[in-house]
Amino acid sequence: MLVLAFITLLGSILLSKIISQKVVELLEDQNIENTHISIERTKFSLFDRSLVFTEVHLGPSDSAMIKLKNNQLNKKSLQKLSISRLKFRGIQITPLLLSKELKINKLIVDNPLYQHFTNGKKQVSKKGKKAIEIDSIYLKELGGAQLDLIKVTNLKVQVIDVSNNDISFENKPLNFEVSGFKLEEIGSNYFKLLPIEDVFEMTRIKIEFPKINYHFSIDAMKYHFEDDQLQISNLKYKPNVNKLTLTNSFIYNTEVYDLNIGDVKIFNLDIEKIIENQGFFMDSIHLSQMKIEIYKDKRKPFDLNKRPKLPHQLLKNMKMPLLIHKIALKESELIYEEKLENKDILMKASMKDLNINIFNITSIKEHREIPLKIDLNAKFMGKANLNVDMILPLTDHESTFFFSGYLGPSQMTYYDSAIIPALGLKILKGKIESLSFKGSANNYYSNGTMKMEYHDLQAEVFKRKNTDKSGFLSWSVNNLIYKSNPGQNGELREATMKFERDLYKGFGNFLWKTLQNGIVNSIAPFGMTTEKVDAKKKRQLKREARREKRKD
């Protein structure tokens, strides 16, 4: 017995050294440029059929890191993986010896740390980069493989800018246990990677973004392999500090977001294309019970160097293949707040019972012949029915998009929380019977028409720097504005909408300023209407005719 135990121990030691040497040789044979590979200790035990690697490190050499920092490397990033312990437990010896099938009961990965080092320069995708093909994996001298269970403890991921040693991304340590995979032979020395079970599940995921002071978390995530369906519960994206503190840390009037989505379902997600680096393809995304709060301090200056692109421009310029046939948002809420200069109250606008459908979200040229379509319905300010439709072209030679909408009957006092801070105007009385609009826009200009049917408008005007009533201005406004539409002549005025976009502002601001121009033109006596535009054209034509007559 002692001799047998001694032989087993000696065999384990010898096997450990051989396996360690073979693993290092295998990794080195991959010819991974600028990478240093080390394993501090390897232990193989015949007693419990386990193989343990201690302090496994695959990372860049010191010289490569220096070159990356000085931007002298032929690429913009390097990676490092460190694992304190990697244990393969329950290795089945008989199938390995008889049929060259590697079967393992459990893989335990302790304290893995993946670090992505970048020099802060923009990454340029390499053309012809070889993708992973999980349907055709080449393995020599192996009849198959199966790993039943994977357990990971304290997984950390970091993104580090080596130019200043800043950590731009870091997650809280993750612990999870998932079912494994198997390699099924499809030809001589070629295998297909398949899951052992139908469902992959992870819980309590939290990721920190220290550089921007936000965190991202998910209560649970399940992927159903058979149905290609991903389900996410209670997704959150929130600031680490309160919104006022975070806003005060900004140089410009940057938005603060607070997002919570109760349920996310992604249908027919092509996970193989994601793994093989071929893009993101899915049938639809369903989101429900979303609440998003946006806060902005407009006392701070705008970043005049920003050039935010419109949604269809972003898709056209996207390098990554993307195809989502439909995104549906249901039973949600949007709250937008602004702190304005010289105002002691917040401007606040909201949409409740928010439902949005977006069709044909794609960056792929052959799918871009069909435009991006958006339809939205909600309770604006929690009261009035609002419907908006948009068509945004995705073809290369088209840039003009089209929009239309309808606001149902509502009391004008519903909009005081938005109008008082923005315009210094408090509505005392009045009712909107209907408001409809339609228009078009490109990256620079918008135009269209608006029909706003209302009656009995009466308002107070506040002083510029506070919410004290200005008696003179209130009297002037109530005696100058159109109090009803149609007026006494019974004709419904149709106002024009026109706005020149501020290129450093986004899509939402562009649309709102266009609509705001239509509302002002509907109410103000100096506002432009289609009648005035037609009359102006007629006068211009008459002048031109007189000039031609004088020439003759």
Side-chain angles (χ1 to χ4, degrees):
M1 290 292 292
L2 287 172
V3 171
L4 184 61
F6 176 75
I7 292 172
T8 303
L9 180 62
L10 183 62
S12 296
I13 294 170
L14 291 173
L15 277 171
S16 297
K17 290 185 177 181
I18 293 168
I19 291 169
S20 179
Q21 185 179 356
K22 289 291 183 183
V23 169
V24 172
E25 286 176 1
L26 178 65
L27 292 171
E28 288 177 343
D29 285 344
Q30 305 305 310
N31 295 319
I32 307 171
E33 190 181 4
N34 302 311
T35 301
H36 174 71
I37 302 161
S38 67
I39 299 172
E40 185 177 290
R41 187 178 173 213
T42 305
K43 181 182 178 182
F44 179 76
S45 173
L46 284 171
F47 292 107
D48 63 355
R49 296 171 289 116
S50 67
L51 175 64
V52 180
F53 298 101
T54 305
E55 296 300 331
V56 180
H57 299 281
L58 288 84
S61 60
D62 292 340
S63 60
M65 287 292 288
I66 293 171
K67 287 180 180 178
L68 177 68
K69 187 172 184 178
N70 296 329
N71 200 26
Q72 297 171 341
L73 205 61
N74 60 356
K75 50 186 176 180
K76 303 299 181 183
S77 64
L78 292 169
Q79 292 78 38
K80 181 179 180 181
L81 176 64
S82 300
I83 302 171
S84 64
R85 190 183 72 142
L86 193 65
K87 182 175 182 178
F88 297 89
R89 194 170 73 186
I91 302 172
Q92 298 182 32
I93 305 296
T94 304
L96 186 61
L97 295 175
L98 297 180
S99 58
K100 294 184 179 179
E101 287 187 52
L102 179 60
K103 293 188 175 181
I104 302 169
N105 292 339
K106 192 173 186 178
L107 169 62
I108 302 170
V109 186
D110 290 331
N111 305 310
L113 173 62
Y114 172 78
Q115 294 173 302
H116 183 90
F117 298 98
T118 175
N119 59 10
K121 307 296 180 182
K122 189 176 181 180
Q123 286 271 26
V124 179
S125 60
K126 293 183 179 179
K127 292 185 178 180
K129 186 178 178 181
K130 191 175 180 181
I132 300 169
E133 296 183 9
I134 63 173
D135 284 339
S136 182
I137 299 171
Y138 179 77
L139 289 173
K140 195 166 62 172
E141 298 180 359
L142 193 65
Q146 180 171 315
L147 174 60
D148 295 332
L149 196 67
I150 302 171
K151 181 181 180 181
V152 179
T153 61
N154 297 322
L155 167 66
K156 287 194 73 175
V157 178
Q158 294 177 334
V159 177
I160 302 171
D161 187 342
V162 294
S163 61
N164 51 23
N165 287 324
D166 272 355
I167 298 174
S168 59
F169 171 88
E170 183 177 39
N171 67 298
K172 289 209 167 183
L174 294 177
N175 299 308
F176 58 92
E177 195 169 287
V178 296
S179 58
F181 59 87
K182 60 183 177 181
L183 291 173
E184 186 177 276
E185 192 169 12
I186 57 173
S188 180
N189 296 327
Y190 284 91
F191 298 85
K192 182 177 182 179
L193 184 68
L194 296 170
I196 294 291
E197 295 184 4
D198 290 336
V199 179
F200 167 89
E201 183 174 3
M202 290 179 66
T203 58
R204 295 183 298 278
I205 302 167
K206 187 171 184 181
I207 299 170
E208 294 284 346
F209 299 93
K211 197 169 184 179
I212 58 174
N213 233 331
Y214 277 89
H215 69 267
F216 171 86
S217 65
I218 292 172
D219 281 359
M221 180 174 68
K222 290 182 181 180
Y223 181 75
H224 301 263
F225 288 98
E226 188 174 349
D227 301 326
D228 291 329
Q229 180 183 326
L230 178 66
Q231 185 173 355
I232 299 170
S233 300
N234 203 17
L235 182 153
K236 296 179 181 179
Y237 181 69
K238 293 179 175 289
N240 294 328
V241 295
N242 69 67
K243 62 185 179 184
L244 297 179
T245 302
L246 184 56
T247 303
N248 289 334
S249 70
F250 297 146
I251 298 173
Y252 302 107
N253 59 15
T254 307
E255 296 90 348
V256 173
Y257 295 94
D258 192 323
L259 171 68
N260 189 95
I261 306 177
D263 188 58
V264 180
K265 290 179 181 176
I266 302 175
F267 295 93
N268 293 328
L269 173 65
D270 196 331
I271 197 72
E272 290 184 10
K273 279 189 167 59
I274 295 173
I275 294 173
E276 294 172 0
N277 196 32
Q278 293 181 15
F280 290 85
F281 295 78
M282 62 204 77
D283 181 66
S284 61
I285 302 176
H286 291 194
L287 306 100
S288 60
Q289 298 176 350
M290 180 191 83
K291 183 176 182 181
I292 180 168
E293 298 180 44
I294 305 172
Y295 176 78
K296 193 172 188 179
D297 189 344
K298 294 194 77 172
R299 296 173 299 177
K300 289 178 175 284
F302 283 95
D303 183 357
L304 301 181
N305 294 317
K306 282 181 69 177
R307 290 295 181 268
K309 294 185 180 296
L310 303 178
H312 56 311
Q313 292 176 326
L314 287 171
L315 288 169
K316 290 179 188 182
N317 295 330
M318 188 179 289
K319 303 300 182 186
M320 177 191 68
L322 172 70
L323 177 60
I324 307 171
H325 293 291
K326 181 181 178 182
I327 296 177
L329 176 67
K330 305 292 182 186
E331 302 169 0
S332 298
E333 182 180 1
L334 167 67
I335 298 172
Y336 181 81
E337 294 180 329
E338 279 185 359
K339 181 65 177 175
L340 302 173
E341 189 74 41
N342 299 319
K343 301 294 180 183
D344 50 10
I345 57 175
L346 289 174
M347 190 283 282
K348 186 174 180 179
S350 65
M351 291 186 190
K352 293 189 176 181
D353 297 330
L354 176 63
N355 298 284
I356 304 175
N357 291 309
I358 310 173
F359 302 93
N360 197 44
I361 306 97
T362 184
S363 63
I364 303 168
K365 191 165 186 175
E366 52 264 36
H367 292 277
R368 289 198 275 111
E369 293 299 322
I370 302 171
L372 173 73
K373 295 182 180 180
I374 303 172
D375 66 67
L376 174 153
N377 65 80
K379 294 282 188 184
F380 188 51
M381 306 303 283
K383 301 286 187 178
N385 290 326
L386 173 67
N387 297 282
V388 178
D389 296 296
M390 284 182 268
I391 297 177
L392 299 94
L394 297 176
T395 52
D396 292 333
H397 60 277
E398 291 183 278
S399 60
T400 301
F401 67 93
F402 302 88
F403 57 94
S404 61
Y406 175 83
L407 183 71
S410 54
Q411 298 294 329
M412 288 190 174
T413 54
Y414 294 164
Y415 311 110
D416 274 352
S417 62
I419 293 174
I420 293 173
L423 303 177
L425 195 72
K426 177 177 174 60
I427 306 298
L428 299 176
K429 187 182 175 185
K431 183 179 180 180
I432 296 175
E433 296 297 340
S434 68
L435 185 154
S436 61
F437 58 87
K438 60 181 179 180
S440 61
N442 54 34
N443 193 39
Y444 305 101
Y445 303 98
S446 64
N447 59 73
T449 58
M450 175 181 287
K451 291 180 181 179
M452 181 176 170
E453 187 175 352
Y454 66 96
H455 57 80
D456 300 329
L457 174 60
Q458 187 177 344
E460 283 183 351
V461 180
F462 295 120
K463 293 179 180 178
R464 183 174 175 272
K465 294 189 176 183
N466 53 45
T467 52
D468 294 335
K469 178 183 174 182
S470 172
F472 173 74
L473 290 176
S474 296
W475 176 87
S476 301
V477 164
N478 284 305
N479 280 275
L480 290 174
I481 61 173
Y482 290 123
K483 294 187 177 181
S484 297
N485 187 27
Q488 292 180 356
N489 61 4
E491 293 182 5
L492 183 68
R493 295 186 308 279
E494 184 179 57
T496 61
M497 300 187 300
K498 193 173 183 180
F499 185 69
E500 182 177 348
R501 182 189 174 196
D502 296 318
L503 293 179
Y504 53 87
K505 296 181 182 179
F507 183 60
N509 177 270
F510 192 18
L511 285 177
W512 166 242
K513 290 295 185 181
T514 303
L515 297 177
Q516 188 181 62
N517 177 255
I519 293 169
V520 170
N521 285 340
S522 297
I523 295 173
F526 53 80
M528 189 61 68
T529 63
T530 53
E531 289 180 350
K532 291 181 180 179
V533 170
D534 291 340
K536 186 177 179 181
K537 286 181 180 178
K538 287 179 181 178
R539 289 195 298 271
Q540 187 175 351
L541 289 171
K542 285 181 179 179
R543 285 196 296 269
E544 290 175 357
R546 285 196 296 269
R547 289 195 200 101
E548 292 296 326
K549 191 174 181 180
R550 283 196 294 269
K551 287 180 182 178
D552 293 340

